[in-house]
Amino acid sequence: MDVLELARLQFAVTTLYHFIFVPLTIGLAVMIAMMQTQYFRTGDDNYKHMTKFWGKLFLINFAMGVVTGIVQEFQFGMAWSEYSRFVGDIFGAPLAIEALMAFFVESTFIGLWIFGWDRLPKSIHLFSIWMVAFASTVSSVWILIANSWMQNPVGYEIVDGRAQMVDFFAVVTNPNVALQFPHVVFGAFATAGFFVVGISAYRLLRAQSSDEHLMFSRSIKFGLVFSLASLIVTMGVGHMSGQFLVDKQPMKLAAAEGLWETEDPAGLSFFQIGDEDSRESVINLRIPSLLS
């Protein structure tokens, strides 16, 4: 295993581990805000207990997301320094805006929300968690703007062997963002929803009081509705993202599908085992014509 493979493996492990916590943070923030809204509207203490319980899990995920994200930032500069030099003028701008704008707001209002229970007016405290949910979603926008530029480079020119931004508006309004953002965000909502459903189902089986049973019964219903509604949107936008790939990155979609030869209509491959050297499939479970 050479240095390049080790760098790829290191960054892949860091990114995959980091992205466990990111969708949970985005989705849980919105769900907790909705739970606290119900407490604000009804005055039912059971909703308050729900908010605090899922809030603790949200804070753990938030902390882990921050720590793993910092490691990822260091790896950009250390393991992929040549890439960082080449695209730093463009890639660094949305990341800096994300940190200064969204992450700063999110962190500030998380502090107010954590220490504001029974200290702040209920309306201000509720506003704090909604600002956390808003800022975490806005944070994903700027990260996806950076990622979308890598998938569909716009608003730049090559100067002295480096990519330099010439049109910030073009970078921000990259058409790939319009598909990536709802796909990632609603995917995060679905992830958080099923996270709530899974833990609620486990705790429901072990419930030792009527209040605990009520709290996790409500949580499981809440999570099911939230995640299933999010899945519908995710699938729709995911389909449009695939269509965008056909136009902008056809080889990427073909590689993902294991489509080694041009077909019209093309089949959709669900499961494939093959020889990478000969590119011949030993086992290939596919539906003819469905990919086209």
Side-chain angles (χ1 to χ4, degrees), residues 5-38:
E5 289 176 325
L6 282 171
R8 286 173 172 168
L9 179 61
Q10 182 190 47
F11 193 73
V13 170
T14 303
T15 302
L16 290 170
Y17 191 63
H18 174 63
F19 205 71
I20 292 172
F21 307 105
V22 172
L24 285 174
T25 301
I26 295 171
L28 281 174
V30 175
M31 294 185 72
I32 292 164
M34 294 172 71
M35 291 174 185
Q36 188 166 340
T37 301
Q38 283 294 95

Side-chain angles (χ1 to χ4, degrees), residues 226-261:
F226 190 78
S227 55
L228 290 175
S230 301
L231 274 179
I232 294 172
V233 180
T234 304
M235 289 189 292
V237 181
H239 173 69
M240 291 187 286
S241 296
Q243 291 176 315
F244 186 84
L245 278 181
V246 171
D247 182 45
K248 299 296 183 180
Q249 295 175 292
M251 293 302 294
K252 182 177 181 178
L253 183 63
E257 293 296 332
L259 194 65
W260 311 123
E261 304 293 337

Side-chain angles (χ1 to χ4, degrees), residues 76 83-84 87-96 143 146-147 149-150 165:
F76 269 122
Y83 174 78
S84 297
V87 302
D89 290 348
I90 302 171
F91 199 73
L95 295 184
I143 299 299
N147 182 268
W149 186 86
M150 293 192 293
M165 186 187 303

Side-chain angles (χ1 to χ4, degrees), residues 98-267:
E98 184 271 338
L100 294 172
M101 180 193 294
F103 184 73
F104 179 78
V105 172
E106 185 179 13
S107 302
T108 300
F109 280 98
I110 280 179
L112 290 173
W113 185 75
I114 293 172
F115 300 107
W117 282 104
D118 303 321
R119 293 182 177 89
L120 292 173
K122 285 187 177 181
S123 58
I124 301 299
H125 193 250
L126 177 63
F127 175 75
S128 297
I129 190 61
W130 274 112
M131 284 300 296
V132 171
F134 172 74
S136 64
T137 304
V138 171
S139 179
S140 68
V141 173
W142 291 105
I143 299 299
L144 291 172
I145 286 172
N147 182 268
S148 290
W149 186 86
M150 293 192 293
Q151 313 303 321
N152 182 44
V154 293
Y156 78 103
E157 61 182 23
I158 302 298
V159 179
D160 298 328
R162 298 176 68 244
Q164 291 191 4
M165 186 187 303
V166 295
D167 190 344
F168 177 74
F169 185 74
V171 173
V172 172
T173 58
N174 191 328
N176 197 44
V177 179
L179 295 171
Q180 266 201 345
F181 172 68
H183 189 238
V184 169
V185 168
F186 280 96
F189 290 171
T191 301
F194 283 114
F195 175 80
V196 169
V197 169
I199 293 177
S200 296
Y202 174 76
R203 292 297 300 266
L204 202 56
L205 290 173
R206 299 169 62 89
Q208 297 180 349
S209 67
S210 58
D211 288 342
E212 192 175 6
H213 189 276
L214 176 61
M215 184 176 82
F216 289 110
S217 295
R218 284 178 172 175
S219 293
I220 201 168
K221 292 175 184 176
F222 199 94
L224 281 172
V225 173
F226 190 78
S227 55
L228 290 175
S230 301
L231 274 179
I232 294 172
V233 180
T234 304
M235 289 189 292
V237 181
H239 173 69
M240 291 187 286
S241 296
Q243 291 176 315
F244 186 84
L245 278 181
V246 171
D247 182 45
K248 299 296 183 180
Q249 295 175 292
M251 293 302 294
K252 182 177 181 178
L253 183 63
E257 293 296 332
L259 194 65
W260 311 123
E261 304 293 337
T262 300
E263 297 179 10
D264 187 13

Side-chain angles (χ1 to χ4, degrees), residues 48-122:
K48 181 179 181 180
H49 298 323
M50 285 172 62
T51 303
K52 287 192 170 185
F53 177 84
W54 298 110
K56 290 177 183 177
L57 297 183
F58 163 76
L59 293 172
I60 293 170
N61 278 282
F62 178 80
M64 291 300 296
V66 171
V67 171
T68 53
I70 290 172
V71 176
Q72 191 178 42
E73 293 274 354
F74 275 106
Q75 287 181 5
F76 269 122
M78 298 177 72
W80 305 104
S81 54
E82 190 63 33
Y83 174 78
S84 297
R85 279 192 292 268
F86 180 68
V87 302
D89 290 348
I90 302 171
F91 199 73
L95 295 184
I97 294 172
E98 184 271 338
L100 294 172
M101 180 193 294
F103 184 73
F104 179 78
V105 172
E106 185 179 13
S107 302
T108 300
F109 280 98
I110 280 179
L112 290 173
W113 185 75
I114 293 172
F115 300 107
W117 282 104
D118 303 321
R119 293 182 177 89
L120 292 173
K122 285 187 177 181

